[in-house]
């Protein structure tokens, strides 16, 4: 646990009592603060009280007397589409609003660090797609190289739940736009921006607000090294803002698909090969084509980002290549789960939007595609250019019929349920096919989250093959 500093004997309100909220309450208590907890859900309040915490009704004006700050969980809207009433009241009273990420950066360094030979470092990863894989891959590469490391944030443990870092340790955090948007302290040593595509636009009042939330990690955080995907306009803009010129190697530009020239430090992947160039000279190359845990161009971009991060931390190219080859991938993200009679089965349940589904559809030559769920604005119309590899689509969930209308000439079948979709795809698959779950939709019509949807796919595939 990271005890929160700066609030000893002060009342700190905590709004939202999920995983991060309860971890925040424990860390505040460990630092000597007096946490006052609230959640709109009676069940969540009862769970907190069962753990010995005090719940205080923050919807009552009298509850705010003496409160120093309000810490809110990332999932609770603080601005758009509508400010939560408790957060609105704090702002009316001038009480600072922060989140666990801000507390983490405020509290991480301690006097103990003065005795370390090498101070701990923090690597933060944000972006629309690939940030979980990139975060896990950085963590894996460090582990394989024998470097002490912990992983937390939007993946794994809450940031305040980790152990105080030891000498030379690297903390790797995945941060969502919800987390970067509000944190009052953001001071990563290395910040990574993977890419940008439309998502969570209601929460950020449009694409500009969404990008601004991501960019705060760089523009407010001031990292020593910025690793930025430049395959979209926003990434090129951010790299330009962070650098003092094309030769500034504090900015490492990364790409999947284009050769980057004329910059001080770049890492890019083309035709399945990762290349690192510094000051106009190639210094390393890795063949990614046969690395099972990183299939497709989108994972090659993740590999470039992770490679750049650990190179900035001092790992050698050969160490990195060995680590890439031993990476098994993450559940629900281009996860190879079975192979039978020349047919592969891939679980990419995390592909909850059009952009991530497009990347999955480009990763394999012959696809039997299971898609559908709670569709987002525009459905899958934008996927038309990527349907050439789809032999047939098997559509499930609330948006199955809407998706069917947008598939054009692509063969498809409305299956409605995962059970029927997997059964039909297995029955019709031929050697060389990939049965791919890449829903391009949220899961909430049939499942509580994308993990449960992916687990259902895995269970049904293994039951049949």
């Amino acid at each position: 646990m990271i005890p929160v500093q700066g609030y000893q004997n002060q009342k700190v309100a905590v709004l939202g009592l999920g995983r991060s909220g309860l971890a925040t309450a424990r860390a505040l208590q460990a630092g000597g603060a007096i946490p006052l907890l609230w959640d709109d859900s009676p069940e969540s309040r009862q769970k907190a009280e069962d753990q010995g915490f005090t719940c205080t009704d923050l919807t009552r004006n009298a509850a705010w007397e003496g409160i120093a700050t309000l810490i809110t969980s990332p999932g609770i809207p603080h601005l758009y589409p509508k400010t939560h009433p408790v957060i609105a009241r704090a702002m009316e009273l001038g009480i600072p609003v922060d989140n666990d990420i801000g507390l983490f950066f405020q509290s991480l360094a301690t006097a103990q660090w003065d005795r370390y030979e090498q101070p701990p470092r923090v690597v933060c990863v944000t972006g629309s797609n690939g940030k979980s894989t990139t975060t896990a891959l950085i963590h894996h590469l460090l582990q394989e190289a024998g470097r002490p490391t912990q992983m937390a944030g939007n993946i794994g443990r809450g940031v305040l739940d980790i152990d105080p870092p030891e000498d030379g340790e690297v903390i790797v955090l995945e941060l969502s736009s919800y987390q970067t948007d509000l944190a009052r302290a953001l001071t990563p040593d290395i910040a990574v921006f993977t890419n940008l595509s439309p998502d969570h636009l209601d929460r950020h009042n449009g694409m500009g607000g969404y990008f601004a939330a991501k960019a705060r990690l760089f523009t407010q955080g001031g990292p020593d090294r910025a690793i930025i995907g430049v395959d979209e306009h926003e990434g090129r803009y951010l790299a330009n803002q962070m650098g003092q010129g094309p030769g500034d190697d504090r900015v490492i530009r990364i790409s999947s698909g284009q050769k980057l020239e004329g910059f001080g430090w770049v890492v890019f992947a083309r035709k399945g090969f990762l290349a690192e160039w510094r000051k106009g000279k190639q210094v390393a190359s890795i063949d990614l084509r046969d690395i099972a845990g990183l299939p497709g161009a989108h994972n090659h971009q993740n590999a470039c980002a992770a490679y750049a991060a650990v190179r900035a931390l001092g790992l050698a190219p050969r160490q990195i290549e060995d680590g890439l080859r031993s990476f098994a991938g993450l559940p629900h993200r281009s996860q190879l789960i079975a192979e039978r009679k020349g047919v592969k089965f891939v679980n990419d349940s995390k592909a909850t939007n059009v952009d991530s589904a497009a990347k999955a559809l480009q990763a394999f030559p012959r696809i039997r595609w299971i898609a559908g769920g709670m569709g987002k604005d525009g459905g899958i119309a934008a996927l038309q250019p990527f349907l050439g590899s789809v032999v047939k689509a098997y559509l499930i969930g609330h948006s199955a019929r809407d998706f069917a209308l947008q598939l054009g000439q692509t063969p498809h079948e409305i299956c409605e349920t995962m059970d029927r979709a997997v059964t039909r795809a297995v029955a019709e698959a031929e050697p060389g096919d990939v049965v791919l779950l890449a829903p391009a939709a949220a899961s909430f019509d049939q499942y509580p989250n994308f993990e449960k949807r992916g687990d259902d796919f895995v269970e049904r595939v293994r039951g049949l093959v």
Side-chain angles (χ1 to χ4, degrees):
M1 180 189 300
I2 305 294
V4 172
Q5 301 180 45
Y7 295 102
Q8 190 168 17
N9 297 320
Q10 297 184 61
K11 295 179 181 179
V12 178
V14 178
L15 176 63
L17 303 179
R19 183 191 66 168
S20 67
L22 291 175
T24 297
R26 289 190 290 269
L28 284 163
Q29 203 169 57
I34 305 166
L36 304 178
L37 280 55
W38 183 251
D39 194 293
D40 293 336
S41 164
E43 292 79 11
S44 296
R45 297 197 299 268
Q46 185 60 55
K47 181 178 178 181
E49 290 177 346
D50 290 345
Q51 295 185 29
F53 291 109
T54 299
C55 286
T56 300
D57 187 352
L58 297 176
T59 65
R60 296 171 56 248
N61 290 337
W64 291 93
E65 185 175 353
I67 288 179
T69 193
L70 169 67
I71 308 301
T72 180
S73 293
I76 300 174
H78 59 270
L79 190 57
Y80 303 111
K82 183 180 180 181
T83 307
H84 188 280
V86 169
I87 299 175
R89 184 58 180 155
M91 292 179 177
E92 289 168 2
L93 295 170
I95 293 172
V97 180
D98 203 349
N99 62 16
D100 62 332
I101 304 302
L103 294 181
F104 169 83
F105 280 109
Q106 175 184 322
S107 306
L108 183 63
T110 66
Q112 175 74 21
W113 289 23
D114 293 338
R115 296 192 287 272
Y116 289 166
E117 291 186 10
Q118 184 177 354
R121 310 284 295 279
V122 180
V123 180
C124 293
V125 181
T126 195
S128 295
N129 298 304
K131 57 185 179 292
S132 294
T133 297
T134 300
T135 302
L137 184 53
I138 293 169
H139 179 61
H140 173 79
L141 293 172
L142 291 167
Q143 283 183 316
E144 292 295 292
R147 294 280 293 271
T149 177
Q150 296 182 74
M151 179 175 67
N154 206 42
I155 183 174
R157 303 159 73 185
V159 292
L160 294 170
D161 242 355
I162 67 171
D163 300 324
E166 60 184 70
D167 194 339
E169 188 163 11
V170 181
I171 308 301
V172 190
L173 304 181
E174 177 193 341
L175 299 182
S176 72
S177 59
Y178 293 2
Q179 294 169 308
T180 58
D181 197 17
L182 189 63
R184 297 172 72 90
L186 283 170
T187 53
D189 297 285
I190 297 173
V192 180
F193 176 86
T194 57
N195 51 58
L196 196 77
S197 62
D199 209 359
H200 310 304
L201 300 189
D202 60 333
R203 176 67 181 267
H204 299 291
N205 199 35
M207 197 69 175
Y210 178 48
F211 175 54
K214 300 283 190 186
R216 285 189 80 245
L217 183 62
F218 298 81
T219 57
Q220 179 161 319
D224 297 331
R225 191 81 66 181
I227 297 164
I228 301 174
V230 294
D231 289 334
E232 294 90 29
H233 173 72
E234 292 87 354
R236 292 189 290 274
Y237 169 83
L238 183 59
N240 184 271
Q241 289 285 296
M242 297 301 295
Q244 295 299 314
D248 186 351
D249 66 2
R250 293 174 302 171
V251 177
I252 307 176
R253 290 165 171 83
I254 62 167
S255 173
S256 175
Q258 60 174 316
K259 182 178 181 179
L260 301 176
E261 298 181 286
F263 299 105
W265 196 348
V266 298
V267 180
F268 58 86
R270 292 181 72 223
K271 299 180 180 179
F273 286 85
L274 180 151
E276 177 191 3
W277 287 64
R278 299 191 70 172
K279 298 180 180 179
K281 296 181 179 180
Q282 183 171 335
V283 297
S285 177
I286 297 174
D287 186 352
L288 302 174
R289 293 173 299 176
D290 62 345
I291 297 180
L294 296 166
H298 60 304
N299 274 311
H300 292 176
Q301 184 190 54
N302 299 335
C304 289
Y307 178 99
V310 295
R311 279 290 277 153
L313 290 166
L315 268 62
R318 180 57 61 87
Q319 287 177 294
I320 301 171
E321 181 172 3
D322 291 343
L324 291 174
R325 295 193 179 283
S326 62
F327 182 63
L330 287 180
H332 316 297
R333 298 163 177 87
S334 296
Q335 176 192 17
L336 178 64
I337 58 170
E339 186 170 357
R340 187 189 74 163
K341 297 180 180 178
V343 178
K344 294 181 178 179
F345 297 84
V346 175
N347 168 24
D348 201 0
S349 184
K350 184 63 169 65
T352 58
N353 58 41
V354 164
D355 187 69
S356 53
K359 290 176 169 59
L361 292 175
Q362 295 173 77
F364 308 102
R366 285 177 52 85
I367 296 171
R368 295 191 177 273
W369 179 32
I370 299 177
M374 186 66 70
K376 299 184 178 181
D377 288 349
I380 56 170
L383 289 176
Q384 274 293 335
F386 309 104
L387 298 179
S389 59
V390 176
V391 178
K392 184 177 178 180
Y394 305 83
L395 303 174
I396 64 173
H398 175 80
S399 298
R401 285 167 175 76
D402 292 336
F403 281 16
L405 295 174
Q406 297 177 312
L407 282 173
Q409 300 301 311
T410 302
H412 60 271
E413 181 178 337
I414 295 176
C415 297
E416 296 188 344
T417 66
M418 185 70 73
D419 183 20
R420 178 164 175 78
V422 172
T423 299
R424 296 290 297 142
V426 169
E428 296 180 349
E430 300 174 358
D433 289 352
V434 172
V435 177
L436 170 69
L437 172 65
S443 60
F444 307 125
D445 55 333
Q446 295 179 314
Y447 303 93
N449 50 53
F450 73 84
E451 291 96 341
K452 292 296 184 184
R453 177 171 60 190
D455 290 342
D456 190 21
F457 174 73
V458 171
E459 182 179 348
R460 297 186 186 284
V461 166
R462 289 178 174 166
L464 289 171
V465 306

